[in-house]
Amino acid sequence: MAEFLGIDVGSISTNLALINEKGEVLHQVYLRTEGQPIEAIKKGMAEMKQNISLDSIQVRGVGTTGSGRVLAGTVVGADVVKNEITSQAIATLHINPQVRTIFEIGGQDSKIIILQNGIVVDFGMNTICAAGTGSFLDQQAYRLRIPIEEFGNYALQSTNPVRIAGRCTVFAESDMIHKQQLGYEKKDIIAGLCEALVRNYLNNVAKGKKICPPIFFQGGVASNSGIRKSFEKELGVKVTVPEYHKVMGAIGAALLAKEEIENTGKETSFRGFELVDKEYRTQGFECDGCPNHCEVVEIFIEDELIARWGDRCGKWSLTYSQVG
Amino acid sequence: MGNLKIGIPQALLYYEYFPLWKNFLESLGAEVIISGPTTKEILDLGVKSAISEICFPVKVFYGHVMSLKDRVDYLFIPRMVCVEKGAYFCPKFLGLPDMVKSSLSSLPPLIEPTIDIRKSATSFKNSFLAVGKLISNNSKKIYQSFYEAQKSFHLYLQSKENELNPEIININQQYSTKLLQNNMKNPLNIALLGHSYLVYDAFINLNLISKLKKTKINVLTAEMVRKQDIERKLKRLHKPIFWTLSKKIVGSAFYFLEKRIDGIIHLTSFECGEDSMIGELIRQESLKYPTVAYTEFVFDEHTGEAGIDTRTEAFLDMIIRRKRYESNHT
């Protein structure tokens, strides 16, 4: 058998997906990055190792994606390192080639991808501000003492959402506190927050984009049924949350690895599941070669230097940070 | 009076007029000192010393002023108001010398000629002649230096066009001969449009030009489009644009859209009023050309390399995969 592994290292979560030659998902792992991407990757790999029988599996290719894709690619020995837009789109089209619009809301960024005839024709990402992404919802759930998993259900119970200013997370928070002080119910405030986030998304990330159904909603925040409902209410069309919405990036990376291996006939450079037992280490220094003072990072396996980057001029770089 | 050290910050209009300024000042015997390319240190200095409400490019300018001010006898900061009929510079350029003087202390004296052809057609020349008098007593030499600097500046502008125009001609040929069917082998043609102080400042735009060139992309810029082509394209607007620098950006965007190049990336500054207006104009026009991919990158002092890399990569993937699809289906 030939399997392909995809790893999506985001700011908040690290996801893994193992697919077979037909592109079916054999196993998925979703866990929190907690600011330690290498640890998260190792943990994810260990969990996957436990749940599959290694004897019947042969990983023929590995792809990485997400904001930590270059680091992840270096750590596991990836065959392809791809951006999140392409990975998400590839995974969605694999599941349903008819999809025209993807809403993807993750931990610290959100995107919209417009598809036509099975290819990406336009996309948008949030610009300077992370308003309305998963981290903010996490923070508010914590402040309201509600587990994030329950957030959506609270919103669904509301019949009278309160209007919350969603333009900026700082203002949204003060607005929510103000509404709490006035005595509004938790569920109405939470529902109001969901609506504010959707408004903000549609007015910023999706600004000027033509949104056509079918629409897929994916990323960690798609687990929040309150947000999905607000999207449907605002747009007046059905919004589908696919089964593997949390690991779509990882599935896309795996599919891209499959495409790469099949096109080139290369052997995979995957370091194998043994890497969970290896010691990884990073260290940094500030280069004083010029006034830019770049912060250079070095990655070691055991004591062997495997990569170095972070400099603008390239005099320290040991791996090519890929564009395209 | 020779050997006066005159400092020119390598920011803002440096990217438009530097050859003119340098030739003029040097031929009169002054020593021109530039602040050099933007660095992290310069950016930090700028963000720290400029007022917080001002736009990002002006903050960068402040950083360059700070890094120059103790090394020169004069700082050259012209007040550019108007150089053509019906169009002006952004109000921040109009007030640039005042802004710098009022918010920075211990500055060397400023050379701040006002260039405003609305007041008199000879304002451009006169302001240079007045500057010349600060450096030299020889009126004849000042005249001569001005005319020669102006002549070589026009040649410089033309050479930018001529040198680069063959690439544009090349695009037309590629399209007409259907070479694109084998597009994976051909370089992609992508235009980087925006204010020259964003497009050509590699520190601010995180090395975008060299990153694109590394992936064998043919990078096109507004400087490669002839002025008459820009003016012609702008005629289709209901209302003329009255910002000199934005005219160039919009006109060349329309030009490249009509040439149906592969993609346009519009580089903008977060707090820039002009950019927010013309960005929308270009975006709306781009909708009429569905085969030309269009995107906008926003820059400010917090812009990280990861975000720009992701957007660039996704943008290129989109174009490459679309072309692959098209060549498989025609």
Side-chain angles (χ1 to χ4, degrees), chain B residues 164 167-168 171 187-193 199-200 207-222 224 256 261 263 265 267:
Chain B
L164 302 161
E167 295 182 13
I168 296 171
I171 303 169
L188 297 174
N189 293 294
I190 305 228
L192 282 191
L193 301 179
V199 175
Y200 297 107
N207 264 326
L208 198 50
I209 292 186
S210 52
K211 274 180 192 161
L212 289 173
K213 284 196 166 158
K214 232 185 240 169
T215 54
K216 304 222 165 45
I217 277 158
N218 192 21
V219 178
L220 305 165
T221 66
M224 303 180 187
F256 286 127
I261 63 167
I265 303 176
L267 309 186

PDB file of all heavy atoms in Angstrom, chain B residues 164 167-168 171 187-193 199-200 207-222 224 256 261 263 265 267:
ATOM      1  N   LEU B 164      13.296  48.585 -20.907  1.00  0.00           N
ATOM      2  CA  LEU B 164      12.327  47.621 -20.419  1.00  0.00           C
ATOM      3  C   LEU B 164      11.219  47.340 -21.417  1.00  0.00           C
ATOM      4  O   LEU B 164      10.604  46.297 -21.363  1.00  0.00           O
ATOM      5  CB  LEU B 164      11.747  48.133 -19.105  1.00  0.00           C
ATOM      6  CG  LEU B 164      12.854  48.362 -18.084  1.00  0.00           C
ATOM      7  CD1 LEU B 164      12.413  49.278 -16.979  1.00  0.00           C
ATOM      8  CD2 LEU B 164      13.321  47.042 -17.514  1.00  0.00           C
ATOM      9  N   GLU B 167      10.660  43.980 -23.182  1.00  0.00           N
ATOM     10  CA  GLU B 167       9.997  42.897 -22.461  1.00  0.00           C
ATOM     11  C   GLU B 167       8.497  42.926 -22.721  1.00  0.00           C
ATOM     12  O   GLU B 167       7.845  41.904 -22.824  1.00  0.00           O
ATOM     13  CB  GLU B 167      10.250  43.019 -20.956  1.00  0.00           C
ATOM     14  CG  GLU B 167      11.698  42.834 -20.606  1.00  0.00           C
ATOM     15  CD  GLU B 167      11.935  42.896 -19.107  1.00  0.00           C
ATOM     16  OE1 GLU B 167      10.950  42.844 -18.352  1.00  0.00           O
ATOM     17  OE2 GLU B 167      13.104  43.006 -18.720  1.00  0.00           O
ATOM     18  N   ILE B 168       7.961  44.124 -22.811  1.00  0.00           N
ATOM     19  CA  ILE B 168       6.526  44.234 -23.045  1.00  0.00           C
ATOM     20  C   ILE B 168       6.194  43.769 -24.449  1.00  0.00           C
ATOM     21  O   ILE B 168       5.228  43.056 -24.677  1.00  0.00           O
ATOM     22  CB  ILE B 168       6.050  45.686 -22.812  1.00  0.00           C
ATOM     23  CG1 ILE B 168       6.287  46.029 -21.346  1.00  0.00           C
ATOM     24  CG2 ILE B 168       4.593  45.842 -23.167  1.00  0.00           C
ATOM     25  CD1 ILE B 168       6.078  47.465 -21.014  1.00  0.00           C
ATOM     26  N   ILE B 171       5.908  40.146 -24.547  1.00  0.00           N
ATOM     27  CA  ILE B 171       4.649  39.572 -24.069  1.00  0.00           C
ATOM     28  C   ILE B 171       3.663  39.475 -25.220  1.00  0.00           C
ATOM     29  O   ILE B 171       3.032  38.454 -25.430  1.00  0.00           O
ATOM     30  CB  ILE B 171       4.003  40.463 -22.985  1.00  0.00           C
ATOM     31  CG1 ILE B 171       4.962  40.668 -21.851  1.00  0.00           C
ATOM     32  CG2 ILE B 171       2.709  39.863 -22.503  1.00  0.00           C
ATOM     33  CD1 ILE B 171       4.476  41.741 -20.903  1.00  0.00           C
ATOM     34  N   PRO B 187       8.299  32.085 -18.794  1.00  0.00           N
ATOM     35  CA  PRO B 187       8.174  32.832 -17.543  1.00  0.00           C
ATOM     36  C   PRO B 187       6.796  33.474 -17.459  1.00  0.00           C
ATOM     37  O   PRO B 187       6.175  33.769 -18.472  1.00  0.00           O
ATOM     38  CB  PRO B 187       9.263  33.892 -17.654  1.00  0.00           C
ATOM     39  CG  PRO B 187       9.536  34.037 -19.102  1.00  0.00           C
ATOM     40  CD  PRO B 187       9.231  32.719 -19.739  1.00  0.00           C
ATOM     41  N   LEU B 188       6.362  33.655 -16.251  1.00  0.00           N
ATOM     42  CA  LEU B 188       5.103  34.367 -16.039  1.00  0.00           C
ATOM     43  C   LEU B 188       5.393  35.855 -15.998  1.00  0.00           C
ATOM     44  O   LEU B 188       6.425  36.276 -15.515  1.00  0.00           O
ATOM     45  CB  LEU B 188       4.495  33.952 -14.709  1.00  0.00           C
ATOM     46  CG  LEU B 188       4.087  32.497 -14.563  1.00  0.00           C
ATOM     47  CD1 LEU B 188       3.648  32.232 -13.128  1.00  0.00           C
ATOM     48  CD2 LEU B 188       2.957  32.175 -15.510  1.00  0.00           C
ATOM     49  N   ASN B 189       4.471  36.630 -16.499  1.00  0.00           N
ATOM     50  CA  ASN B 189       4.620  38.079 -16.460  1.00  0.00           C
ATOM     51  C   ASN B 189       3.723  38.651 -15.375  1.00  0.00           C
ATOM     52  O   ASN B 189       2.505  38.552 -15.461  1.00  0.00           O
ATOM     53  CB  ASN B 189       4.236  38.678 -17.813  1.00  0.00           C
ATOM     54  CG  ASN B 189       5.222  38.271 -18.880  1.00  0.00           C
ATOM     55  OD1 ASN B 189       6.381  38.661 -18.828  1.00  0.00           O
ATOM     56  ND2 ASN B 189       4.785  37.448 -19.808  1.00  0.00           N
ATOM     57  N   ILE B 190       4.354  39.198 -14.354  1.00  0.00           N
ATOM     58  CA  ILE B 190       3.601  39.751 -13.236  1.00  0.00           C
ATOM     59  C   ILE B 190       4.017  41.195 -13.013  1.00  0.00           C
ATOM     60  O   ILE B 190       5.214  41.492 -12.954  1.00  0.00           O
ATOM     61  CB  ILE B 190       3.856  38.933 -11.954  1.00  0.00           C
ATOM     62  CG1 ILE B 190       3.531  37.471 -12.263  1.00  0.00           C
ATOM     63  CG2 ILE B 190       3.091  39.511 -10.765  1.00  0.00           C
ATOM     64  CD1 ILE B 190       2.697  36.758 -11.310  1.00  0.00           C
ATOM     65  N   ALA B 191       3.033  42.078 -12.916  1.00  0.00           N
ATOM     66  CA  ALA B 191       3.334  43.489 -12.667  1.00  0.00           C
ATOM     67  C   ALA B 191       3.253  43.778 -11.178  1.00  0.00           C
ATOM     68  O   ALA B 191       2.318  43.353 -10.506  1.00  0.00           O
ATOM     69  CB  ALA B 191       2.360  44.373 -13.436  1.00  0.00           C
ATOM     70  N   LEU B 192       4.253  44.468 -10.675  1.00  0.00           N
ATOM     71  CA  LEU B 192       4.233  44.967  -9.301  1.00  0.00           C
ATOM     72  C   LEU B 192       3.962  46.454  -9.387  1.00  0.00           C
ATOM     73  O   LEU B 192       4.792  47.214  -9.880  1.00  0.00           O
ATOM     74  CB  LEU B 192       5.590  44.781  -8.638  1.00  0.00           C
ATOM     75  CG  LEU B 192       5.987  43.414  -8.131  1.00  0.00           C
ATOM     76  CD1 LEU B 192       7.241  43.544  -7.287  1.00  0.00           C
ATOM     77  CD2 LEU B 192       4.871  42.793  -7.335  1.00  0.00           C
ATOM     78  N   LEU B 193       2.779  46.862  -8.958  1.00  0.00           N
ATOM     79  CA  LEU B 193       2.422  48.266  -9.073  1.00  0.00           C
ATOM     80  C   LEU B 193       2.230  48.867  -7.699  1.00  0.00           C
ATOM     81  O   LEU B 193       1.797  48.198  -6.766  1.00  0.00           O
ATOM     82  CB  LEU B 193       1.135  48.405  -9.890  1.00  0.00           C
ATOM     83  CG  LEU B 193       1.202  47.824 -11.304  1.00  0.00           C
ATOM     84  CD1 LEU B 193      -0.125  47.987 -12.002  1.00  0.00           C
ATOM     85  CD2 LEU B 193       2.304  48.493 -12.105  1.00  0.00           C
ATOM     86  N   VAL B 199       7.593  49.788  -4.121  1.00  0.00           N
ATOM     87  CA  VAL B 199       7.992  48.771  -5.096  1.00  0.00           C
ATOM     88  C   VAL B 199       9.505  48.555  -5.092  1.00  0.00           C
ATOM     89  O   VAL B 199       9.981  47.440  -5.226  1.00  0.00           O
ATOM     90  CB  VAL B 199       7.500  49.169  -6.503  1.00  0.00           C
ATOM     91  CG1 VAL B 199       8.011  48.194  -7.552  1.00  0.00           C
ATOM     92  CG2 VAL B 199       5.975  49.225  -6.536  1.00  0.00           C
ATOM     93  N   TYR B 200      10.265  49.651  -4.912  1.00  0.00           N
ATOM     94  CA  TYR B 200      11.719  49.528  -5.028  1.00  0.00           C
ATOM     95  C   TYR B 200      12.441  49.504  -3.687  1.00  0.00           C
ATOM     96  O   TYR B 200      13.659  49.423  -3.656  1.00  0.00           O
ATOM     97  CB  TYR B 200      12.268  50.650  -5.918  1.00  0.00           C
ATOM     98  CG  TYR B 200      11.743  50.547  -7.323  1.00  0.00           C
ATOM     99  CD1 TYR B 200      10.788  51.426  -7.808  1.00  0.00           C
ATOM    100  CD2 TYR B 200      12.176  49.524  -8.166  1.00  0.00           C
ATOM    101  CE1 TYR B 200      10.279  51.305  -9.086  1.00  0.00           C
ATOM    102  CE2 TYR B 200      11.672  49.393  -9.442  1.00  0.00           C
ATOM    103  CZ  TYR B 200      10.732  50.291  -9.901  1.00  0.00           C
ATOM    104  OH  TYR B 200      10.243  50.153 -11.167  1.00  0.00           O
ATOM    105  N   ASN B 207      11.704  42.072   0.028  1.00  0.00           N
ATOM    106  CA  ASN B 207      12.430  41.454  -1.086  1.00  0.00           C
ATOM    107  C   ASN B 207      11.552  40.861  -2.173  1.00  0.00           C
ATOM    108  O   ASN B 207      11.935  39.882  -2.817  1.00  0.00           O
ATOM    109  CB  ASN B 207      13.302  40.315  -0.550  1.00  0.00           C
ATOM    110  CG  ASN B 207      14.710  40.776  -0.314  1.00  0.00           C
ATOM    111  OD1 ASN B 207      15.203  41.622  -1.057  1.00  0.00           O
ATOM    112  ND2 ASN B 207      15.331  40.241   0.711  1.00  0.00           N
ATOM    113  N   LEU B 208      10.395  41.442  -2.353  1.00  0.00           N
ATOM    114  CA  LEU B 208       9.424  40.835  -3.257  1.00  0.00           C
ATOM    115  C   LEU B 208       9.969  40.668  -4.677  1.00  0.00           C
ATOM    116  O   LEU B 208       9.794  39.616  -5.299  1.00  0.00           O
ATOM    117  CB  LEU B 208       8.151  41.699  -3.262  1.00  0.00           C
ATOM    118  CG  LEU B 208       6.897  41.044  -3.800  1.00  0.00           C
ATOM    119  CD1 LEU B 208       6.660  39.690  -3.150  1.00  0.00           C
ATOM    120  CD2 LEU B 208       5.705  41.944  -3.554  1.00  0.00           C
ATOM    121  N   ILE B 209      10.643  41.687  -5.194  1.00  0.00           N
ATOM    122  CA  ILE B 209      11.116  41.594  -6.586  1.00  0.00           C
ATOM    123  C   ILE B 209      12.092  40.435  -6.731  1.00  0.00           C
ATOM    124  O   ILE B 209      11.943  39.600  -7.633  1.00  0.00           O
ATOM    125  CB  ILE B 209      11.761  42.919  -7.049  1.00  0.00           C
ATOM    126  CG1 ILE B 209      10.682  44.009  -7.156  1.00  0.00           C
ATOM    127  CG2 ILE B 209      12.457  42.740  -8.400  1.00  0.00           C
ATOM    128  CD1 ILE B 209      11.156  45.322  -7.727  1.00  0.00           C
ATOM    129  N   SER B 210      13.056  40.336  -5.830  1.00  0.00           N
ATOM    130  CA  SER B 210      14.036  39.259  -6.027  1.00  0.00           C
ATOM    131  C   SER B 210      13.423  37.894  -5.744  1.00  0.00           C
ATOM    132  O   SER B 210      13.812  36.899  -6.347  1.00  0.00           O
ATOM    133  CB  SER B 210      15.307  39.501  -5.209  1.00  0.00           C
ATOM    134  OG  SER B 210      14.995  39.748  -3.889  1.00  0.00           O
ATOM    135  N   LYS B 211      12.442  37.847  -4.852  1.00  0.00           N
ATOM    136  CA  LYS B 211      11.751  36.559  -4.624  1.00  0.00           C
ATOM    137  C   LYS B 211      11.032  36.105  -5.889  1.00  0.00           C
ATOM    138  O   LYS B 211      11.073  34.929  -6.245  1.00  0.00           O
ATOM    139  CB  LYS B 211      10.736  36.696  -3.498  1.00  0.00           C
ATOM    140  CG  LYS B 211      11.327  36.489  -2.129  1.00  0.00           C
ATOM    141  CD  LYS B 211      10.270  36.643  -1.060  1.00  0.00           C
ATOM    142  CE  LYS B 211      10.924  36.718   0.308  1.00  0.00           C
ATOM    143  NZ  LYS B 211      10.017  37.292   1.304  1.00  0.00           N
ATOM    144  N   LEU B 212      10.371  37.043  -6.542  1.00  0.00           N
ATOM    145  CA  LEU B 212       9.652  36.681  -7.768  1.00  0.00           C
ATOM    146  C   LEU B 212      10.635  36.288  -8.864  1.00  0.00           C
ATOM    147  O   LEU B 212      10.426  35.317  -9.586  1.00  0.00           O
ATOM    148  CB  LEU B 212       8.783  37.846  -8.239  1.00  0.00           C
ATOM    149  CG  LEU B 212       7.554  38.151  -7.387  1.00  0.00           C
ATOM    150  CD1 LEU B 212       6.879  39.426  -7.849  1.00  0.00           C
ATOM    151  CD2 LEU B 212       6.556  37.004  -7.428  1.00  0.00           C
ATOM    152  N   LYS B 213      11.728  37.048  -8.958  1.00  0.00           N
ATOM    153  CA  LYS B 213      12.697  36.748 -10.015  1.00  0.00           C
ATOM    154  C   LYS B 213      13.337  35.389  -9.800  1.00  0.00           C
ATOM    155  O   LYS B 213      13.654  34.685 -10.755  1.00  0.00           O
ATOM    156  CB  LYS B 213      13.751  37.849 -10.094  1.00  0.00           C
ATOM    157  CG  LYS B 213      13.189  39.096 -10.770  1.00  0.00           C
ATOM    158  CD  LYS B 213      14.268  40.052 -11.215  1.00  0.00           C
ATOM    159  CE  LYS B 213      13.687  41.080 -12.177  1.00  0.00           C
ATOM    160  NZ  LYS B 213      14.503  42.303 -12.232  1.00  0.00           N
ATOM    161  N   LYS B 214      13.516  35.015  -8.545  1.00  0.00           N
ATOM    162  CA  LYS B 214      14.103  33.713  -8.230  1.00  0.00           C
ATOM    163  C   LYS B 214      13.236  32.576  -8.767  1.00  0.00           C
ATOM    164  O   LYS B 214      13.725  31.506  -9.090  1.00  0.00           O
ATOM    165  CB  LYS B 214      14.235  33.585  -6.710  1.00  0.00           C
ATOM    166  CG  LYS B 214      15.629  33.185  -6.254  1.00  0.00           C
ATOM    167  CD  LYS B 214      15.631  32.970  -4.755  1.00  0.00           C
ATOM    168  CE  LYS B 214      16.607  33.913  -4.074  1.00  0.00           C
ATOM    169  NZ  LYS B 214      16.452  33.932  -2.613  1.00  0.00           N
ATOM    170  N   THR B 215      11.926  32.817  -8.813  1.00  0.00           N
ATOM    171  CA  THR B 215      11.045  31.778  -9.337  1.00  0.00           C
ATOM    172  C   THR B 215      10.780  31.999 -10.826  1.00  0.00           C
ATOM    173  O   THR B 215       9.762  31.583 -11.349  1.00  0.00           O
ATOM    174  CB  THR B 215       9.702  31.760  -8.570  1.00  0.00           C
ATOM    175  OG1 THR B 215       9.152  33.070  -8.623  1.00  0.00           O
ATOM    176  CG2 THR B 215       9.866  31.350  -7.143  1.00  0.00           C
ATOM    177  N   LYS B 216      11.710  32.676 -11.475  1.00  0.00           N
ATOM    178  CA  LYS B 216      11.703  32.866 -12.932  1.00  0.00           C
ATOM    179  C   LYS B 216      10.503  33.668 -13.422  1.00  0.00           C
ATOM    180  O   LYS B 216       9.965  33.409 -14.498  1.00  0.00           O
ATOM    181  CB  LYS B 216      11.750  31.517 -13.659  1.00  0.00           C
ATOM    182  CG  LYS B 216      12.922  30.662 -13.257  1.00  0.00           C
ATOM    183  CD  LYS B 216      13.548  29.999 -14.463  1.00  0.00           C
ATOM    184  CE  LYS B 216      14.917  29.437 -14.153  1.00  0.00           C
ATOM    185  NZ  LYS B 216      14.993  28.689 -12.881  1.00  0.00           N
ATOM    186  N   ILE B 217      10.102  34.606 -12.619  1.00  0.00           N
ATOM    187  CA  ILE B 217       8.990  35.438 -13.040  1.00  0.00           C
ATOM    188  C   ILE B 217       9.516  36.720 -13.657  1.00  0.00           C
ATOM    189  O   ILE B 217      10.507  37.287 -13.191  1.00  0.00           O
ATOM    190  CB  ILE B 217       8.053  35.705 -11.855  1.00  0.00           C
ATOM    191  CG1 ILE B 217       7.122  34.499 -11.755  1.00  0.00           C
ATOM    192  CG2 ILE B 217       7.237  36.962 -12.029  1.00  0.00           C
ATOM    193  CD1 ILE B 217       6.514  34.315 -10.460  1.00  0.00           C
ATOM    194  N   ASN B 218       8.899  37.123 -14.724  1.00  0.00           N
ATOM    195  CA  ASN B 218       9.261  38.365 -15.386  1.00  0.00           C
ATOM    196  C   ASN B 218       8.511  39.494 -14.683  1.00  0.00           C
ATOM    197  O   ASN B 218       7.290  39.591 -14.780  1.00  0.00           O
ATOM    198  CB  ASN B 218       8.859  38.239 -16.853  1.00  0.00           C
ATOM    199  CG  ASN B 218       9.438  39.344 -17.677  1.00  0.00           C
ATOM    200  OD1 ASN B 218      10.423  39.971 -17.277  1.00  0.00           O
ATOM    201  ND2 ASN B 218       8.822  39.607 -18.814  1.00  0.00           N
ATOM    202  N   VAL B 219       9.239  40.306 -13.940  1.00  0.00           N
ATOM    203  CA  VAL B 219       8.595  41.357 -13.141  1.00  0.00           C
ATOM    204  C   VAL B 219       8.468  42.643 -13.956  1.00  0.00           C
ATOM    205  O   VAL B 219       9.447  43.133 -14.509  1.00  0.00           O
ATOM    206  CB  VAL B 219       9.385  41.629 -11.847  1.00  0.00           C
ATOM    207  CG1 VAL B 219       8.740  42.751 -11.058  1.00  0.00           C
ATOM    208  CG2 VAL B 219       9.470  40.370 -11.002  1.00  0.00           C
ATOM    209  N   LEU B 220       7.255  43.160 -14.037  1.00  0.00           N
ATOM    210  CA  LEU B 220       7.001  44.398 -14.759  1.00  0.00           C
ATOM    211  C   LEU B 220       6.628  45.484 -13.758  1.00  0.00           C
ATOM    212  O   LEU B 220       6.008  45.195 -12.735  1.00  0.00           O
ATOM    213  CB  LEU B 220       5.842  44.205 -15.739  1.00  0.00           C
ATOM    214  CG  LEU B 220       6.000  43.036 -16.728  1.00  0.00           C
ATOM    215  CD1 LEU B 220       4.664  42.702 -17.376  1.00  0.00           C
ATOM    216  CD2 LEU B 220       7.027  43.376 -17.779  1.00  0.00           C
ATOM    217  N   THR B 221       7.011  46.733 -14.051  1.00  0.00           N
ATOM    218  CA  THR B 221       6.617  47.826 -13.150  1.00  0.00           C
ATOM    219  C   THR B 221       6.091  49.004 -13.968  1.00  0.00           C
ATOM    220  O   THR B 221       6.215  49.031 -15.187  1.00  0.00           O
ATOM    221  CB  THR B 221       7.807  48.324 -12.298  1.00  0.00           C
ATOM    222  OG1 THR B 221       8.765  48.915 -13.165  1.00  0.00           O
ATOM    223  CG2 THR B 221       8.443  47.212 -11.489  1.00  0.00           C
ATOM    224  N   ALA B 222       5.522  49.957 -13.257  1.00  0.00           N
ATOM    225  CA  ALA B 222       4.915  51.117 -13.925  1.00  0.00           C
ATOM    226  C   ALA B 222       5.941  51.915 -14.715  1.00  0.00           C
ATOM    227  O   ALA B 222       5.611  52.551 -15.714  1.00  0.00           O
ATOM    228  CB  ALA B 222       4.249  52.023 -12.891  1.00  0.00           C
ATOM    229  N   MET B 224       8.010  50.913 -16.678  1.00  0.00           N
ATOM    230  CA  MET B 224       8.232  50.343 -18.003  1.00  0.00           C
ATOM    231  C   MET B 224       7.170  50.789 -19.011  1.00  0.00           C
ATOM    232  O   MET B 224       7.257  50.471 -20.183  1.00  0.00           O
ATOM    233  CB  MET B 224       8.218  48.821 -17.917  1.00  0.00           C
ATOM    234  CG  MET B 224       9.230  48.289 -16.946  1.00  0.00           C
ATOM    235  SD  MET B 224       9.156  46.502 -16.884  1.00  0.00           S
ATOM    236  CE  MET B 224      10.276  46.187 -15.530  1.00  0.00           C
ATOM    237  N   PHE B 256      -1.539  47.208 -18.300  1.00  0.00           N
ATOM    238  CA  PHE B 256      -1.180  45.792 -18.146  1.00  0.00           C
ATOM    239  C   PHE B 256      -2.420  44.890 -18.214  1.00  0.00           C
ATOM    240  O   PHE B 256      -2.352  43.757 -18.691  1.00  0.00           O
ATOM    241  CB  PHE B 256      -0.427  45.562 -16.841  1.00  0.00           C
ATOM    242  CG  PHE B 256       0.996  46.063 -16.859  1.00  0.00           C
ATOM    243  CD1 PHE B 256       1.468  46.923 -15.878  1.00  0.00           C
ATOM    244  CD2 PHE B 256       1.860  45.679 -17.872  1.00  0.00           C
ATOM    245  CE1 PHE B 256       2.768  47.384 -15.900  1.00  0.00           C
ATOM    246  CE2 PHE B 256       3.177  46.136 -17.911  1.00  0.00           C
ATOM    247  CZ  PHE B 256       3.628  46.992 -16.916  1.00  0.00           C
ATOM    248  N   ILE B 261      -1.544  40.476 -19.166  1.00  0.00           N
ATOM    249  CA  ILE B 261      -0.422  39.772 -18.552  1.00  0.00           C
ATOM    250  C   ILE B 261      -0.992  38.797 -17.518  1.00  0.00           C
ATOM    251  O   ILE B 261      -2.189  38.773 -17.271  1.00  0.00           O
ATOM    252  CB  ILE B 261       0.575  40.750 -17.900  1.00  0.00           C
ATOM    253  CG1 ILE B 261      -0.089  41.517 -16.760  1.00  0.00           C
ATOM    254  CG2 ILE B 261       1.141  41.703 -18.936  1.00  0.00           C
ATOM    255  CD1 ILE B 261       0.896  42.248 -15.883  1.00  0.00           C
ATOM    256  N   GLY B 263      -0.608  38.452 -14.154  1.00  0.00           N
ATOM    257  CA  GLY B 263      -1.114  38.903 -12.862  1.00  0.00           C
ATOM    258  C   GLY B 263      -0.602  40.279 -12.489  1.00  0.00           C
ATOM    259  O   GLY B 263       0.414  40.745 -13.007  1.00  0.00           O
ATOM    260  N   ILE B 265       0.079  42.599  -8.928  1.00  0.00           N
ATOM    261  CA  ILE B 265       0.075  42.728  -7.468  1.00  0.00           C
ATOM    262  C   ILE B 265       0.158  44.219  -7.159  1.00  0.00           C
ATOM    263  O   ILE B 265       1.098  44.897  -7.589  1.00  0.00           O
ATOM    264  CB  ILE B 265       1.260  41.986  -6.821  1.00  0.00           C
ATOM    265  CG1 ILE B 265       1.249  40.501  -7.217  1.00  0.00           C
ATOM    266  CG2 ILE B 265       1.212  42.126  -5.300  1.00  0.00           C
ATOM    267  CD1 ILE B 265       2.439  39.717  -6.687  1.00  0.00           C
ATOM    268  N   LEU B 267       0.848  46.936  -4.534  1.00  0.00           N
ATOM    269  CA  LEU B 267       1.462  47.117  -3.225  1.00  0.00           C
ATOM    270  C   LEU B 267       0.951  48.420  -2.616  1.00  0.00           C
ATOM    271  O   LEU B 267       1.040  49.468  -3.245  1.00  0.00           O
ATOM    272  CB  LEU B 267       2.989  47.190  -3.348  1.00  0.00           C
ATOM    273  CG  LEU B 267       3.678  46.074  -4.130  1.00  0.00           C
ATOM    274  CD1 LEU B 267       5.187  46.226  -4.025  1.00  0.00           C
ATOM    275  CD2 LEU B 267       3.256  44.723  -3.627  1.00  0.00           C
TER     276      LEU B 267
END
